[in-house]
Amino acid sequence: MRPMFVFLTAKMITNGTVNERTYRGASVIELIHTATLVHDDVVDDSNRRRGFFSINALWKNKIAVLVGDYLLSKGLLLSIDNGDFDLLRIISVAVREMSEGELLQIEKARRLDIDETIYYEIIRQKTATLIAACCALGAKSVSEDVELVERMRKFGELIGMAFQIKDDLFDYTDEAIGKPTGIDIKEQKMTLPLIYALNNCSSSEKSWCINSIKNHNKDKKRVKEVIQFVKDKNGLAYAEQKMVEFQQEALQLLHNFPSSEYKDSLTLMVNYVIERKK
């Protein structure tokens, strides 16, 4: 999906023309994104990735870290060897922000004191910044217009925000999505539906909920009760509303571009983000 954002952004701006820099930008994004996923599986001690055994599950952590480092260096060298320092800067900022977002989430998870503002900052850094980089890369590869590159960066950021909220909603769904529900609660992650529920309940309900997440997050029955509590407090409806707001704001940024199949495809991808089933 991420390289598609690079290509479609570039083609929408130029009405179908891309260059070698566009291809390199898309390749670098995919290499570096894959590197972060390999390292994420080590950090999360995860044995599966997209339905297959993860690298750390097959060859242990040491090799997984080295493979992640190798992919990262391949991506960096692809930019450096071709003098794409402007593209490299966009990618490097994204990697830095992804790390900062992950560290912020870990810090806040220990105290369970995330409010809505901090939540948005975490998902902006952890998820949205990479999709923002894709769209900025696509624009930068074909244009030197600073304002245009920034507009497309913001477009990608808004899509990323909607994308992550959709992911958070999956944790409360009963549909088959390829992973069990309640994972975020078990990992003590404060997501938007839960934050809203905690901000709109009595002090006794809040104490019960926080105690459940901190001390009973391995109890399947208790986790189901927390999920139902969040639903009863309209946490899902509120998160869906915010997700649609981000989606509509993103679409508005495409409004002034002339009609084209590339603009239509980007619009389809924005809608896919909030309509996907997994």
Side-chain angles (χ1 to χ4, degrees):
M1 186 178 77
R2 288 161 186 84
M4 285 173 68
F5 275 120
V6 177
F7 285 116
L8 288 174
T9 299
K11 288 187 174 188
M12 182 182 67
I13 291 168
T14 61
N15 197 25
T17 304
V18 294
N19 54 39
E20 288 298 317
R21 272 163 54 84
T22 313
Y23 280 96
R24 289 197 297 270
S27 300
V28 170
I29 278 288
E30 195 64 8
L31 282 165
I32 290 181
H33 177 55
T34 304
T36 64
L37 295 181
V38 172
H39 284 163
D40 276 353
D41 288 339
V42 175
V43 171
D44 297 337
D45 197 24
S46 176
N47 292 323
R48 308 285 289 187
R49 170 63 66 179
R50 294 171 181 163
F52 298 93
F53 284 117
S54 58
I55 291 177
N56 51 299
L58 292 170
W59 294 293
K60 308 302 180 189
N61 285 349
K62 185 181 287 187
I63 288 178
V65 170
L66 291 170
V67 168
D69 290 345
Y70 175 78
L71 291 167
L72 181 63
S73 65
K74 285 286 283 186
L76 298 177
L77 284 169
L78 182 59
S79 293
I80 293 167
D81 289 346
N82 290 282
D84 296 329
F85 299 109
D86 52 346
L87 304 186
L88 183 58
R89 178 175 176 77
I90 292 171
I91 297 161
S92 298
V93 168
V95 173
R96 183 197 70 200
E97 291 207 324
M98 287 163 66
S99 303
E100 289 173 351
E102 193 71 52
L103 288 168
L104 179 59
Q105 184 173 61
I106 292 168
E107 175 200 341
K108 294 297 180 181
R110 289 172 179 164
R111 297 200 298 267
L112 295 182
D113 63 348
I114 296 177
D115 61 21
E116 200 168 323
T117 304
I118 294 173
Y119 165 79
Y120 288 137
E121 182 59 17
I122 288 172
I123 69 168
R124 185 193 69 77
Q125 290 184 315
K126 273 191 64 181
T127 303
T129 192
L130 190 61
I131 298 178
C134 294
C135 297
L137 272 175
K140 187 68 175 174
S141 71
V142 296
S143 172
E144 290 299 320
D145 185 333
V146 176
E147 189 179 318
L148 178 62
V149 173
E150 174 55 24
R151 194 204 310 184
M152 295 315 300
R153 187 205 66 77
K154 185 65 179 176
F155 168 76
E157 184 180 282
L158 290 164
I159 298 169
M161 300 290 279
F163 183 93
Q164 187 57 55
I165 293 173
K166 181 67 173 182
D167 247 24
D168 294 345
L169 285 165
F170 281 142
D171 206 49
Y172 295 88
T173 185
D174 296 322
E175 297 173 23
I177 58 168
K179 65 176 183 178
T181 56
I183 291 293
D184 289 340
I185 294 168
K186 290 168 189 170
E187 295 179 355
Q188 300 184 29
K189 288 181 182 174
M190 297 286 283
T191 58
L192 188 56
L194 180 58
I195 291 167
Y196 180 82
L198 289 173
N199 287 337
N200 292 273
C201 65
S202 66
S203 56
S204 60
E205 287 173 324
K206 187 171 185 176
S207 296
W208 170 83
C209 188
I210 289 175
N211 178 51
S212 299
I213 296 166
K214 275 189 172 181
N215 303 312
H216 304 281
N217 54 18
K218 300 292 189 288
D219 182 336
K220 288 183 179 179
K221 182 173 179 289
R222 194 71 166 259
V223 169
K224 281 187 177 180
E225 288 173 357
V226 171
I227 289 173
Q228 191 58 50
F229 166 77
V230 171
K231 289 178 178 178
D232 292 343
K233 294 298 178 182
N234 295 318
L236 272 63
Y238 179 77
E240 285 172 2
Q241 173 197 326
K242 288 295 179 182
M243 176 181 69
V244 170
E245 286 176 14
F246 283 120
Q247 176 220 24
Q248 291 302 312
E249 196 178 341
L251 289 174
Q252 192 60 38
L253 289 174
L254 297 183
H255 187 67
N256 291 331
F257 286 98
S259 296
S260 69
E261 60 182 308
Y262 314 112
K263 180 180 176 180
D264 292 344
S265 295
L266 274 176
T267 302
L268 279 172
M269 287 189 73
V270 173
N271 294 332
Y272 163 76
V273 160
I274 71 165
E275 292 167 4
R276 62 199 171 97
K277 302 298 181 187
K278 61 181 180 178

